[in-house]
Amino acid sequence: MNYRNATIKDIPEVERLQLKYHVDTISDKDRPDGFVTTLFTENQFRRLIEEENGLALACDGDKIIGYAMSASWDYWSEWPLFQHMIKTLPDTEYMGRTLSINNSYQYGPVAVHSDYRGGEVFPNLFEFSRKEMKKRYPILITFVNQINPRSYKAHLKIGLDLIKKFEFNNNNYYEMGYDTSKRTEGSNI
């Protein structure tokens, strides 16, 4: 298993994985094990790679079996949910600091192929992404839809903290944080 940053040529395979686990297209069999809720276009993936270097991949040989997205708040600012999160940053404290667009970034979504869940892939993918982003930010922020308990439990298991709960657009979310100077629990890379 290896972990690396995505290149433009990886986009089609990442898009296939995204569609397999997106809430609108996931199979009934896979749904209870977690899903992603934001659908990204080819151009949005391209910007994430070229402008943020924020698409981390887990690969088994040449096959992409997982991805994790991370970027500045500026990148995320086109989506209404992230606009809401940005607006509430000054009202949120984590690690004894008031959050801002300068001291934090948004992590996620993340997807791991079902054949590789429950083992080392998720913690190692998170660890690779964390190491890349800690060069720029001391605090990671993410959210998990409360109807996705597997994702919430997986993020707690690797060491993320629940900061608060919030509601947006008739959905309820957990907002979670992580100190990017800390090694990921359960990782071995």
Side-chain angles (χ1 to χ4, degrees), residues 52 57 64 104 113 129 142 149-150 157:
E52 300 280 343
L57 302 177
I64 295 171
S104 66
H113 192 285
S129 178
T142 194
R150 181 180 176 108
K157 186 175 180 178

Side-chain angles (χ1 to χ4, degrees), residues 20-129:
K20 181 171 178 56
Y21 295 109
H22 188 267
V23 67
D24 292 339
T25 51
I26 193 168
S27 71
D28 290 338
K29 175 182 147 282
D30 287 334
R31 184 178 298 275
D33 291 328
F35 48 85
V36 296
T37 56
T38 305
L39 190 62
F40 292 83
T41 66
E42 178 184 348
N43 186 51
Q44 289 164 337
F45 280 127
R46 182 179 294 277
R47 283 186 43 237
L48 183 66
I49 292 166
E50 292 177 342
E51 297 171 17
E52 300 280 343
N53 198 28
L55 184 55
L57 302 177
C59 302
D60 187 354
D62 292 336
K63 181 181 175 188
I64 295 171
I65 53 92
Y67 67 84
M69 301 170 71
S70 297
S72 67
W73 290 107
D74 183 57
Y75 172 83
W76 300 108
S77 65
E78 70 181 80
W79 287 273
L81 173 57
F82 297 114
Q83 291 168 5
H84 170 78
M85 292 178 74
I86 291 166
K87 189 173 80 176
T88 65
L89 286 173
D91 304 322
T92 307
E93 282 199 20
Y94 179 63
M95 296 173 32
R97 299 169 79 169
T98 300
L99 297 181
S100 73
I101 60 171
N102 297 316
N103 68 10
S104 66
Y105 71 97
Q106 158 61 31
Y107 153 85
V110 59
V112 174
H113 192 285
S114 59
D115 293 347
Y116 296 84
R117 293 183 182 170
E120 68 180 34
V121 173
F122 175 59
N124 286 340
L125 181 58
F126 183 90
E127 176 67 4
F128 179 85
S129 178

